[in-house]
Amino acid sequence: MIKYFTFLFLFTLSASLAQTSFQFDQNINLTQNGGNLELPFAGGLNAAQIQTMDVNGDGEDEMVIWDINARQISVFKIENDVYTFFPEMAYYFPSDVNGFLVLADFDGDGKKDLFTSSPFGIRAYKNVSPVGATFPSWELAQNFLRLDNNSNLQANNLDIPLILDVDGDGDLDIATFNFASGDFLEFYRNTSIERKGFADVDGFAFPEPRWGEFEFCSCGSFSFGVTCSGLPIGRILDDENQRIQHAGGHSILYSDFNGDGIFDLLMGQDECDVLYYLPNKGTNATPIFDEFATSLPNIGDLPEFPIFHAAQLWENQLLISTNSSAIAGIFRADYAKNIFSIPLEGGNIQPFLQNRMLDLGENTRPFFQGNKLNGSLLL
């Protein structure tokens, strides 16, 4: 009899629980400062790494945002100034995304693949979404990227590395900051085209140190042609790593900002409150940097706010966001107001995306008082 009643209780409980379901409702209107919010419950953004790809097979790129601070992926459709949030799309990305998220096509099939941090450097996922699929599918391509001698390609998980066909041979090269023996760029040339005749990410040449012939010394301080300690570029001391006090993170955007047809460098560092622009006096594959500024041609002064800036190009705009995984309080940062848009042809700096959603900062907590018939939501 006891077993019978136990079974009956468990069956009744499971049946009642099975009847409870939840659905994300985006039709609730919410006003703020007298205006309607388009994306009120998109969840807010703390530190956005902004990428683009076609996630739903409609032939148009959506905006994919990896929030390194909140450890979550958000996907938005932006079309004719109409913003749509796709909350379900976050579940179709690899669950082990961490550190950074870069979307770039490594095999030339027209579908962007995914790169993220791993304990050994950089992990790569191949986009295996079928034609017309309404959500992305992934397959692990490389658990960690390797050099041609089979050692791992090292990358700081606080960095956003440059993953781009820099030398124009059809495969993706990588540039990332060295964090062990100095604060400088290392360039890894992809050798797949030379080895196999088609693009892949299964082998890279030994890194070229101090790519661009400069070192980052501290916020607002660079050393060109010589190291921060005054040594000629190219001379490396065995004990040089003992001088590194802080293995910080960096963001890298490599694009032509002055209209000369050559990619320039726009970089951020995790202790600095502004981006740094380094015009390129060399070529894309062999850059030469000998000056820096905190302003851009046509745009003017870059915004200053705490802390660790990352930049991305989107349509005709430069998007700038915080990239910090730390809590906001210690830097007196406002994570509810730290994503900005600047027209590339010049214009005013405008808030981006966050002003369309309910985002009151990382320390906000909801509390519901009442019942389902009558109550108040307090923040």
Side-chain angles (χ1 to χ4, degrees), residues 279-292:
N280 187 355
K281 308 294 178 61
T283 66
N284 290 344
T286 310
I288 298 174
F289 304 114
D290 59 11
E291 61 177 319
F292 78 96

Side-chain angles (χ1 to χ4, degrees), residues 140-153:
L140 183 64
Q142 298 288 335
N143 191 37
F144 59 92
L145 300 186
R146 296 172 173 84
L147 305 184
D148 289 337
N149 65 2
N150 215 35
S151 62
N152 59 310
L153 191 160

Side-chain angles (χ1 to χ4, degrees), residues 35-354:
N36 288 329
L37 294 177
E38 297 176 66
L39 307 166
F41 303 112
L45 295 166
N46 287 350
Q49 295 181 18
I50 301 172
Q51 300 284 305
T52 62
M53 69 168 286
D54 182 9
V55 298
N56 59 3
D58 65 352
E60 301 291 336
D61 280 357
E62 284 74 42
M63 182 171 286
V64 179
I65 297 179
W66 162 242
D67 188 334
I68 186 177
N69 191 280
R71 304 293 196 273
Q72 67 181 16
I73 291 175
S74 302
V75 179
F76 299 89
K77 182 75 172 180
I78 305 175
E79 190 173 23
N80 298 324
D81 205 37
V82 176
Y83 290 66
T84 306
F85 177 45
F86 294 155
E88 72 282 1
M89 284 298 176
Y91 299 98
Y92 294 106
F93 284 81
S95 60
D96 57 356
V97 172
N98 74 99
F100 55 83
L101 171 66
V102 177
L103 299 172
D105 180 9
F106 71 67
D107 55 2
D109 64 355
K111 296 181 290 187
K112 288 187 178 181
D113 307 296
L114 187 152
F115 299 85
T116 190
S117 178
S118 86
F120 300 103
I122 300 176
R123 178 177 288 128
Y125 284 92
K126 177 177 171 57
N127 186 338
V128 294
S129 308
V131 175
T134 57
F135 55 85
S137 301
W138 309 95
E139 179 181 276
L140 183 64
Q142 298 288 335
N143 191 37
F144 59 92
L145 300 186
R146 296 172 173 84
L147 305 184
D148 289 337
N149 65 2
N150 215 35
S151 62
N152 59 310
L153 191 160
Q154 296 184 8
N156 188 348
N157 75 332
L158 297 176
D159 279 1
I160 305 176
L162 172 68
I163 303 179
L164 183 72
D165 181 12
V166 173
D167 57 12
D169 66 351
D171 50 27
L172 295 179
D173 309 298
I174 293 177
T176 187
F177 272 84
N178 180 291
F179 62 94
S181 60
D183 215 339
F184 54 84
L185 276 173
E186 291 186 313
F187 178 69
Y188 296 86
R189 182 177 57 84
N190 192 326
T191 61
S192 62
I193 290 290
E194 291 85 349
R195 288 183 292 103
K196 305 192 302 183
F198 59 89
D200 205 338
V201 285
D202 60 345
F204 293 81
F206 196 76
E208 177 185 335
R210 292 172 176 82
W211 189 59
E213 302 183 13
F214 79 98
E215 282 194 1
F216 175 85
C217 302
S218 62
C219 295
S221 177
F222 289 77
S223 184
F224 300 103
V226 297
T227 67
C228 294
S229 57
L231 298 174
I233 290 291
R235 180 182 177 185
I236 302 176
L237 298 180
D238 292 336
D239 64 347
E240 196 172 1
N241 61 330
Q242 297 178 7
R243 299 193 182 99
I244 303 304
Q245 302 297 319
H246 174 69
H250 309 77
S251 65
I252 306 171
L253 178 58
Y254 201 45
S255 186
D256 180 14
F257 289 103
N258 57 13
D260 64 358
I262 301 172
F263 289 165
D264 308 301
L265 181 64
L266 188 62
M267 62 159 285
Q269 204 268 357
D270 70 346
E271 292 186 328
C272 307
D273 61 1
V274 70
L275 290 168
Y276 299 105
Y277 164 60
L278 285 71
N280 187 355
K281 308 294 178 61
T283 66
N284 290 344
T286 310
I288 298 174
F289 304 114
D290 59 11
E291 61 177 319
F292 78 96
T294 56
S295 60
L296 280 177
N298 298 324
I299 289 179
D301 291 340
L302 293 163
E304 296 184 18
F305 59 93
I307 189 171
F308 193 2
H309 297 192
Q312 184 59 264
L313 296 176
W314 178 71
E315 296 185 349
N316 63 341
Q317 302 176 62
L318 177 68
L319 304 181
I320 300 176
S321 170
T322 291
N323 188 52
S324 176
S325 59
I327 61 174
I330 57 176
F331 302 111
R332 297 184 178 180
D334 185 355
Y335 281 174
K337 298 177 181 178
N338 65 1
I339 306 179
F340 302 96
S341 169
I342 311 174
L344 290 176
E345 66 274 11
N348 295 328
I349 299 174
Q350 299 290 337
F352 183 77
L353 208 56
Q354 290 173 308

